[in-house]
Amino acid sequence: LMNGARVGISAQATGIGEASYRAARDYAAARKQFGVTIDTFPALRELMSDMSVDLQAARLLAYYGSKSVDLENGLTKKFESLKGTPEAMDVRKRLKLYTAFNKMLTPMSKYYASEMSMRVSNGAIAVLGGSGYMKDYPVERYMRDARITSIYEGTSQLQVVAAIAGVMAGLYKDVIADIYTGIDTSAFESEKADIAKLVAELDSAVEYVKAHPEGKVYHDLHARQLVDGAITAINAALFIRMAAKFEEKKPVLAYWLATKFPTAYAELAKAKSGYMASVTDFEKIAPAVTLAD
């Protein structure tokens, strides 16, 4: 039930993100300022490039999660029909793998897609400026529609809680290996090496969090950084799979590696920093508000 709900909301959020991106892209191509369309401005090109790649990443993660759920459902039925036969054990092994995948992938895809839809709809309003804030254009509604996707069927924070067990178990490595299966990745050895380096850093961060003396408190505090790191690596593998099939996706893969990997490394550095003042010094950093204030 939870798998189906998460997959459904991932698709909904992806649709909102797509609508937001299209509205912004069309507006920027038509709106002129200083005698040129605003889509020629470097700052807007960077913003819309980020929106586009963010959207594509969410779609790939949602599709891959949906495929994994379909395989789990199909293998469940196949296992029931083969009980007592020699083939049943092989089916059961694959079923256990995809069941484990989905416990991590479906909350990841719901979390990433819903947060993406908020980022992209917010970006669309930025592209349209004051017009985006008005009801003359649909993007103000897209932003309101996006917000609920990160709330119902479990908030983004709860999706991180659901996904972190798989990350702590190192399941992202098995997922990446599964993504590479059946395609020729020989033309992407450099990109695969970049992913392997990030995975090694993620492994190191996971081990640090596991060994931290504050235990569950530290684990919960830095779960998001670990989940985000795993999503970044998994999506990079998905972009390699796409680029191996479609030449035009190579620049998208390059953009993901150039812009998202530095952020992932910075976030993993936080997880390995030992810093937890937001817990230990909470009352000083975020003091309670009194009537006198």
Side-chain angles (χ1 to χ4, degrees):
L1 179 64
M2 288 303 295
N3 282 346
R6 289 167 179 161
V7 164
I9 295 166
S10 298
Q12 179 191 11
T14 301
I16 296 168
E18 178 71 36
S20 300
Y21 170 73
R22 290 187 182 193
R25 191 70 177 82
D26 287 347
Y27 182 88
R31 177 80 165 91
K32 285 191 174 183
Q33 202 165 14
F34 309 119
V36 294
T37 55
I38 63 173
D39 64 353
T40 61
F41 298 164
L44 277 185
R45 286 197 164 190
E46 182 184 38
L47 173 59
M48 289 187 290
S49 293
D50 223 41
M51 290 164 63
S52 175
V53 174
D54 207 3
L55 172 62
Q56 292 178 63
R59 181 181 290 109
L60 285 178
L61 192 59
Y63 281 178
Y64 180 70
S66 299
K67 171 192 167 184
S68 297
V69 170
D70 279 350
L71 284 169
E72 180 186 345
N73 292 340
L75 289 166
T76 299
K77 293 176 183 177
K78 189 171 184 179
F79 177 69
E80 291 299 322
S81 69
L82 291 174
K83 270 186 178 178
T85 68
E87 296 89 348
M89 289 300 99
D90 287 336
V91 173
R92 186 170 184 270
K93 185 178 178 181
R94 290 187 67 211
L95 174 58
K96 286 180 68 177
L97 179 67
Y98 283 105
T99 299
F101 278 9
N102 291 330
K103 286 180 180 178
M104 181 180 74
L105 284 172
T106 58
M108 274 184 173
S109 61
K110 197 269 186 186
Y111 160 61
Y112 190 84
S114 59
E115 294 294 324
M116 174 282 299
S117 70
M118 289 200 295
R119 288 191 296 269
V120 172
S121 60
N122 189 53
I125 289 180
V127 171
L128 271 70
S131 296
Y133 206 71
M134 308 298 288
K135 290 190 175 181
D136 305 64
Y137 293 88
V139 291
E140 55 84 27
R141 178 170 61 83
Y142 296 153
M143 191 172 184
R144 287 184 282 113
D145 290 344
R147 191 65 183 92
I148 191 59
T149 65
S150 66
I151 298 173
Y152 60 20
E153 293 297 341
T155 64
S156 291
Q157 291 76 16
L158 288 178
Q159 302 309 313
V160 169
V161 170
I164 190 61
V167 174
M168 298 299 285
L171 198 57
Y172 45 88
K173 289 177 280 192
D174 296 319
V175 168
I176 290 170
D178 185 67
I179 292 168
Y180 290 153
T181 301
I183 60 166
D184 179 9
T185 60
S186 59
F188 299 93
E189 293 305 321
S190 174
E191 291 83 357
K192 287 171 67 179
D194 287 341
I195 294 173
K197 283 173 62 179
L198 179 60
V199 166
E201 185 64 18
L202 180 55
D203 287 344
S204 174
V206 165
E207 291 307 311
Y208 182 93
V209 171
K210 283 180 179 178
H212 197 277
E214 289 297 331
K216 189 175 185 303
V217 173
Y218 195 80
H219 167 283
D220 291 350
L221 180 62
H222 292 287
R224 185 186 61 78
Q225 282 93 17
L226 300 180
V227 171
D228 284 349
I231 290 172
T232 302
I234 288 169
N235 264 325
L238 288 168
F239 277 128
I240 284 180
R241 188 176 182 89
M242 288 296 288
K245 294 182 177 182
F246 305 103
E247 184 76 18
E248 65 271 20
K249 292 299 179 182
K250 287 183 179 180
V252 178
L253 167 62
Y255 188 93
W256 183 262
L257 296 174
T259 63
K260 305 303 179 185
F261 271 41
T263 301
Y265 279 114
E267 290 297 296
L268 292 176
K270 291 180 187 177
K272 294 171 67 176
S273 68
Y275 189 73
M276 51 187 304
S278 55
V279 173
T280 57
D281 292 330
F282 175 70
E283 294 297 341
K284 295 176 182 176
I285 295 170
V289 179
T290 66
L291 289 176
D293 296 333

